[in-house]
Amino acid sequence: MKDHGKLGIESLCVHAGQHPDELYGGVSVPIYQSSTFAFESAAQGAARFSGADDGYKYTRLGNPTTSALEECVAQLEGGGQGLATASGMAAVSTVYLTFLGAGAHMVSTDSVYGPSRTLAERELSRFGVETTYVDTTDPANVARAIRPSTKLVYLETPGNPTLAISDIAACARIAHQAGALLVVDNTFCSPLLQRPLDLGADIVLHSMTKYLNGHSDVVAGILVTRQPDLLTRMKRVLVQVGGTIDPHQAWLVLRGIKTLALRVRAAEQTARRLAQDLATHPAVAWVRYPGLPSHPQHELAKTQMNGFGSMISFELKGGVEAGRLLMDSVRLCVLAVSLGGVETLIQHPASMTHASMGPEARRAAGITDGLVRLSVGIETYEDLRADLWQALDRVVTATTPQGEAQVGV
Ligand SMILES: *Cc1c(COP(=O)(O)O)cnc(C)c1O
């Protein structure tokens, strides 16, 4: 494989892990849509299974299209090796299953992606794994939660959907002092905006469903590490559990990554302007965006991230009802979960993704009743602003007393 280590990140998006195909010179990586690979002889088959020959055997164990994607994302994360998975949750569960077992303990960000928390609380707990959820924006909370049995410190930064930012380097030091590994879910940033391995993380994971693929048409995940022994252990678990990515999905993600830098930067520019605008609308109590000085970890965001991203959270003064009305009033913004696609998506956690958490756990994780999450896409800024404005104006009209009378007419 070519060493692309000195190229800029835009060049890596286009070229890393990819080279014209050896058979016909196809510029795009071929899709090896094959479950199995023929051996030339019994001796070659034996060599492949013993590891003496690193050729392909069976797609659950490895596939050339998947390998190209793994190398591409590993280079984007600054080096190391990648392990692509069928979904972001397959990456999360591979990490949990590889490094946690009976009697083990994990410290995790409290406002972590919902299913990452549910998997630990409902399923891993059945196997004797304990988890402590803390506000990881203060590294002292992480240090206090560490036990002799702590094997993993698991960060999601920015957190979901609060956009709370945790100090990766500080948490890496705490984890390593305790003999634990630091895992960072880097989905919200993509490697373009944050490179956790450079800050001391041992493993970085992505839901490639989001920014890396970027077109809302694939579910996929990946794990990246610079420590070959960790990759070997995770791969052993992944291939047994069977969370393998399909070669066609892997190719779609490779295709999506080619424009990652353009998409992420365009969305960010629009998000910065929208975040400032939203803060001025009378229906909005506050806006949380890492690029605004009002964000509690704005200074940390400036040093830890290479940009502020395109996720915005804001609180509606009218609570749950205002959230529902806003969801029913937008026309261009798409009412859907997920994030990181070219289209702007809007969602209301209290009535949607985090409804099953219950009001108390939501409050403890900082998810208030009127919290709205916006994943800004690459549409024209003026169109997005106009759509949000007409919807927010409806919220104001309906939640003021005269407005109720008007709506009733
Ligand atoms: C979506 C998401 C996941 C899970 O990924 P899937 O591809 O849906 O399995 C994990 N972490 C974060 C932060 C996510 O946004």
Side-chain angles (χ1 to χ4, degrees), residues 87-90 92 113 116 156 160 185 187-188 205 207-210 219-221 339:
S87 65
M89 283 312 298
V92 174
Y113 182 68
S116 301
E156 190 176 308
N160 196 353
D185 183 334
T187 300
F188 269 39
L205 74 84
S207 166
M208 299 196 292
T209 311
K210 316 295 167 53
V219 171
L339 58 107

Side-chain angles (χ1 to χ4, degrees), residues 114-347:
S116 301
R117 181 164 178 159
T118 312
L119 177 62
E121 287 185 329
R122 294 221 190 117
E123 315 304 336
L124 294 189
S125 59
R126 296 188 288 117
F127 303 96
V129 173
E130 291 187 40
T131 313
T132 308
Y133 290 93
V134 297
D135 173 359
T136 51
T137 59
D138 183 354
N141 292 337
V142 177
R144 263 194 298 277
I146 295 275
R147 300 179 191 171
S149 57
T150 304
K151 302 286 184 222
L152 285 185
V153 174
Y154 187 102
L155 291 186
E156 190 176 308
T157 180
N160 196 353
T162 57
L163 302 179
I165 294 173
S166 303
D167 187 332
I168 296 172
C171 291
R173 283 192 292 275
I174 292 164
H176 295 156
Q177 256 166 23
L181 298 171
L182 179 71
V183 178
V184 176
D185 183 334
N186 201 24
T187 300
F188 269 39
C189 280
S190 88
L192 211 80
L193 300 185
Q194 180 167 277
R195 298 234 296 229
L197 300 179
D198 291 345
L199 300 167
D202 298 287
I203 297 164
V204 53
L205 74 84
H206 286 276
S207 166
M208 299 196 292
T209 311
K210 316 295 167 53
Y211 289 99
L212 283 168
N213 178 61
H215 292 73
S216 308
D217 50 11
V218 167
V219 171
I222 198 161
L223 295 156
V224 180
T225 178
R226 293 177 187 163
Q227 299 166 60
D229 58 314
L230 299 185
L231 190 99
T232 305
R233 289 172 67 189
M234 292 191 292
K235 180 154 189 179
R236 206 158 57 211
V237 170
L238 178 70
V239 304
Q240 307 296 344
V241 169
T244 315
I245 191 170
D246 173 85
H248 187 243
Q249 304 291 86
W251 181 85
L252 283 166
V253 178
L254 262 180
R255 185 186 212 269
I257 289 173
K258 288 179 194 290
T259 56
L260 177 70
L262 302 178
R263 288 186 280 106
V264 165
R265 295 222 173 91
E268 181 182 13
Q269 282 203 347
T270 305
R272 283 189 195 215
R273 295 173 74 183
L274 287 176
Q276 282 169 355
D277 296 345
L278 284 166
T280 68
H281 196 282
V284 174
W286 47 258
V287 176
R288 182 68 42 89
Y289 178 67
L292 292 179
S294 60
H295 188 289
Q297 293 92 34
H298 175 60
E299 292 304 317
L300 175 60
K302 282 202 281 194
T303 57
Q304 176 167 284
M305 296 161 66
N306 306 314
F308 301 115
S310 45
M311 297 300 299
I312 302 173
S313 288
F314 57 95
E315 177 74 12
L316 293 170
K317 289 177 185 160
V320 176
E321 274 317 305
R324 287 207 184 98
L325 181 58
L326 186 75
M327 296 304 109
D328 288 337
S329 304
V330 288
R331 296 178 193 138
L332 182 62
C333 298
V334 180
L335 175 54
V337 298
S338 197
L339 58 107
V342 289
E343 52 289 283
T344 297
L345 302 181
I346 193 165
Q347 76 120 333

